[in-house]
Amino acid sequence: MPNDQCHLIVDSCSDVPTELVDQPGITLLRFPYIIDNGTFEDDLFQSVTAKEFYDGMRKGKEPSTAQLSIPVIEETFRSAAEAGTPTVYLSFTSGLSGSYDAAMLVRDRIVEEYPGFELYVVDTLLASVAEGFLVFEAISQWERGATAKELAEWAEEARFFVDCEFMVEDLETLKRGGRIPSSVAAAGAALDVKPLLSIDTEGKLQLVGVARGRKKGIKQLIDYFERHADEAGGSRYAFLGNADCPKDMQRLKEGLQKLDDGLIFIESSIGPVIGSHVGPGMVAVAFWGADKRESLSVADRIAKRIKGAK
């Protein structure tokens, strides 16, 4: 049920099912993408189907993306300020986009214009299904009546417990969009494998494995869930996403059900903005896992502390 003491803003890079965010008190910020010389809004496949979009890519179209514009962010934040309800924006990772930094600039301007207005901007350090899983769980907190301050503090901590892994057909589209180094993409192509990726603690993509074929890749996703969900004491929910490969997502779902027939699934399509970078064929799973900060090496932990002290 709606929460009258907190307004929640999320963005389309979370790839959530539309029914989750299509309710009073929640606003969806739509990232732009460019295709066929036109600019469109990522509305989670409400105006174009996933099959139409990805078939275009299969036929050679190369869509591109842009970060959220200052005017769009400002219009959304100003509307929230004028309504007066304390607001939280859960932002797409700063590790892959400048939109979080832009949102912080606008946030500072808005709170200066509207003294006393509570506006929290949280860098989720997550993307796609991982961000979507955090949004899904944040909505649960919101529905239970969390205040804006409580929800922001919850998200700042919870983001480090979201685990995910996803398989893509190849790394070429990610390379073209600048999301991974060319050397990594070249190595993947030379080996003729299906890459498996995750998101690190800085919200950036990391290559975590490869599979010889899609069936083996799906098996590795299932094995990954089994290992990492167990480390966290089990996970009640699993967020699944696919880029126009529903049969593969069904195989993934059936494999996870064999592990735990009590799992509850949230299923979604990978939207046009994320899809522009991963291409057709991505399949993914996200869930509650162990604290990712604990998996850092000693050297990385020291480096982060030094960096944070500057």
Side-chain angles (χ1 to χ4, degrees):
M1 59 187 301
N3 179 343
D4 59 7
Q5 61 180 346
C6 177
H7 175 203
L8 180 59
I9 301 173
V10 301
D11 59 53
S12 60
C13 285
S14 60
D15 290 337
V16 290
T18 53
E19 59 268 22
L20 279 181
V21 295
D22 187 16
Q23 56 179 308
I26 300 179
T27 297
L28 177 69
L29 272 173
R30 297 170 173 85
F31 269 71
Y33 66 99
I34 301 93
I35 192 170
D36 294 333
N37 297 316
T39 300
F40 303 89
E41 290 185 342
D42 181 349
D43 60 4
L44 306 176
F45 288 131
Q46 296 304 291
S47 57
V48 64
T49 68
K51 181 167 179 53
E52 289 169 339
F53 177 80
Y54 288 112
D55 274 351
M57 294 189 74
R58 292 182 180 105
K59 293 174 183 176
K61 292 184 179 181
E62 296 183 353
S64 59
T65 63
Q67 67 184 52
L68 289 168
S69 70
I70 294 288
V72 166
I73 300 171
E74 186 163 1
E75 179 183 356
T76 303
F77 285 4
R78 190 177 301 281
S79 176
E82 290 173 352
T85 304
T87 297
V88 177
Y89 169 40
L90 300 179
S91 169
F92 179 51
T93 174
S94 62
L96 297 173
S97 170
S99 291
Y100 168 74
D101 292 331
M104 286 300 294
L105 288 173
V106 175
R107 182 245 174 226
D108 291 345
R109 186 186 311 161
I110 292 296
V111 296
E112 186 175 337
E113 289 184 31
Y114 296 84
F117 175 58
E118 289 183 68
L119 176 57
Y120 304 91
V121 178
V122 178
D123 181 358
T124 67
L125 299 173
L126 301 167
S128 191
V129 295
E131 183 186 352
F133 183 76
L134 184 73
V135 167
F136 167 74
E137 292 284 4
I139 290 173
S140 294
Q141 298 292 323
W142 176 81
E143 289 175 336
R144 294 187 191 113
T147 66
K149 185 174 187 294
E150 288 169 344
L151 188 56
E153 290 176 345
W154 174 90
E156 291 276 0
E157 183 67 13
R159 59 186 177 171
F160 293 111
F161 292 83
V162 177
D163 205 340
C164 77
E165 189 171 70
F166 61 96
M167 176 177 68
V168 294
E169 185 64 21
D170 58 50
L171 296 171
E172 185 59 33
T173 311
L174 283 166
K175 183 199 77 172
R176 190 175 68 243
R179 266 47 184 188
I180 60 167
S182 296
S183 58
V184 174
L191 293 171
D192 190 25
V193 292
K194 305 306 175 190
L196 296 162
L197 299 101
S198 189
I199 302 172
D200 65 19
T201 55
E202 295 182 347
K204 297 178 181 179
L205 297 180
Q206 57 178 352
L207 184 65
V208 294
V210 294
R212 295 282 183 182
R214 294 186 66 82
K215 287 185 179 179
K216 290 183 179 179
I218 292 168
K219 176 65 165 58
Q220 287 179 226
L221 292 177
I222 295 166
D223 291 345
Y224 183 89
F225 176 90
E226 183 177 23
R227 293 194 312 273
H228 293 266
D230 280 352
E231 287 176 3
S235 187
R236 182 184 178 194
Y237 292 98
F239 196 116
L240 308 182
N242 79 101
D244 196 34
C245 53
K247 290 182 179 179
D248 283 337
M249 189 167 79
Q250 183 61 27
R251 291 189 188 99
L252 174 60
K253 181 179 178 180
E254 290 171 357
L256 294 172
Q257 284 176 320
K258 289 179 181 178
L259 296 178
D260 181 356
D261 59 10
L263 272 177
I264 300 172
F265 297 97
I266 308 98
E267 301 177 38
S268 73
S269 290
I270 306 303
V273 168
I274 298 297
S276 295
H277 294 285
V278 299
M282 172 177 160
V283 61
V285 58
F287 53 93
W288 284 131
D291 188 342
K292 289 190 288 188
R293 293 166 296 189
E294 297 303 317
S295 65
L296 294 174
S297 68
V298 173
D300 285 340
R301 291 183 197 178
I302 294 171
K304 280 186 174 293
R305 289 181 182 177
I306 294 172
K307 185 177 180 181
K310 289 181 180 179

